[in-house]
Amino acid sequence: MPRRYRLAVPPSSALNGLVSAPRTVVLVEGESDRLALRALAPRLGIDLAETDVAVLPMGGVTNVRTFAERHGPHGLGQRVLGLYDVGEERHVRRGLLAAGLPVDEATGPAGRGFHACHVDLEDELLRALGTDGAEAVIESAGEGRSLRLLARMPAQQGWSREKVLRRFLGSQSGRKARYAGLFVDAMPLEQAPAPLVALLEQVGAT
């Protein structure tokens, strides 16, 4: 009977020492935010890998404390930046304070490198691209018919085109993430959302 050998696995602390952690982490709510930033960065001449930056989806803004504690001064000591929806600012302030990153009242979260979308990412992208542009991207992606069918449904009668587009993006799992990068690629660079540009310029300035 052949002998069995048990492989020795080093403790997690040892493994952590062997893996080089990025110098900067950018905390975002979800995958669509991550893909939008990754699409916009090269258009601004910023190489996230070269600048040693990782964009981390948190699975919701209420997890900001956990992530900021893990990566900030109480944890790995990395520089922590972020993107969030303006309506969730209270969670960002509380989470950063608990993680040893208090927000200055004069500069707000932006002074800590946390930039707010006016409503949310989809609102920023749709305003930057415009309804005609967004509908053209959806048509090119092969889902124009689905958008038109949605717009003709009784529940959507009387809705603005912007509201129908938002409903379309949220009506299927993964659709927001799919179109985040496509919208960024299609929009004129000079119309790129201000909070995303400000965040990436802060990343690229280091």
Side-chain angles (χ1 to χ4, degrees):
M1 185 174 181
R3 257 179 107 177
R4 294 182 179 176
Y5 294 87
R6 187 176 179 181
L7 296 176
V9 179
S12 58
S13 58
L15 288 174
N16 289 338
L18 295 175
V19 177
S20 177
R23 186 166 55 88
T24 299
V25 295
V26 176
L27 305 182
V28 297
E29 293 195 35
E31 183 67 6
S32 56
D33 305 271
R34 186 184 76 86
L35 293 173
L37 288 171
R38 288 180 63 86
L40 183 57
R43 297 195 63 191
L44 295 173
I46 297 168
D47 187 323
L48 294 177
E50 187 176 287
T51 51
D52 203 15
V53 175
V55 182
L56 305 181
M58 298 182 291
V61 73
T62 55
N63 293 321
V64 67
R65 174 176 178 172
T66 299
F67 277 78
E69 285 183 333
R70 180 184 304 157
H71 296 280
H74 293 172
L76 296 173
Q78 296 159 295
R79 187 173 67 135
V80 180
L81 308 176
L83 185 73
Y84 66 97
D85 300 341
V86 70
E88 307 292 352
E89 185 169 313
R90 66 190 185 281
H91 296 297
V92 173
R93 286 177 174 268
R94 292 172 187 167
L96 292 178
L97 177 62
L101 298 165
V103 172
D104 182 83
E105 289 303 318
T107 59
R112 278 286 177 197
F114 277 73
H115 298 270
C117 293
H118 179 67
V119 176
D120 55 22
L121 177 70
E122 287 69 44
D123 175 74
E124 293 283 358
L125 297 179
L126 289 174
R127 283 192 294 112
L129 187 56
T131 52
D132 288 342
E135 289 170 359
V137 170
I138 292 168
E139 190 73 43
S140 296
E143 291 198 288
R145 182 172 180 274
S146 296
L147 176 61
R148 292 188 290 274
L149 287 173
L150 176 67
R152 289 198 293 266
M153 292 179 68
Q156 276 68 246
Q157 293 304 301
W159 283 19
S160 67
R161 291 165 67 194
E162 293 84 353
K163 190 173 181 180
V164 171
L165 283 166
R166 288 183 63 90
R167 178 72 181 90
F168 171 81
L169 293 172
S171 65
Q172 189 177 100
S173 177
R175 193 173 261 165
K176 287 183 180 181
R178 180 189 184 195
Y179 283 99
L182 293 177
F183 284 171
V184 169
D185 288 341
M187 69 178 58
L189 186 57
E190 64 273 13
Q191 294 175 205
L196 278 70
V197 172
L199 173 58
L200 288 169
E201 286 181 343
Q202 193 166 359
V203 166
T206 59

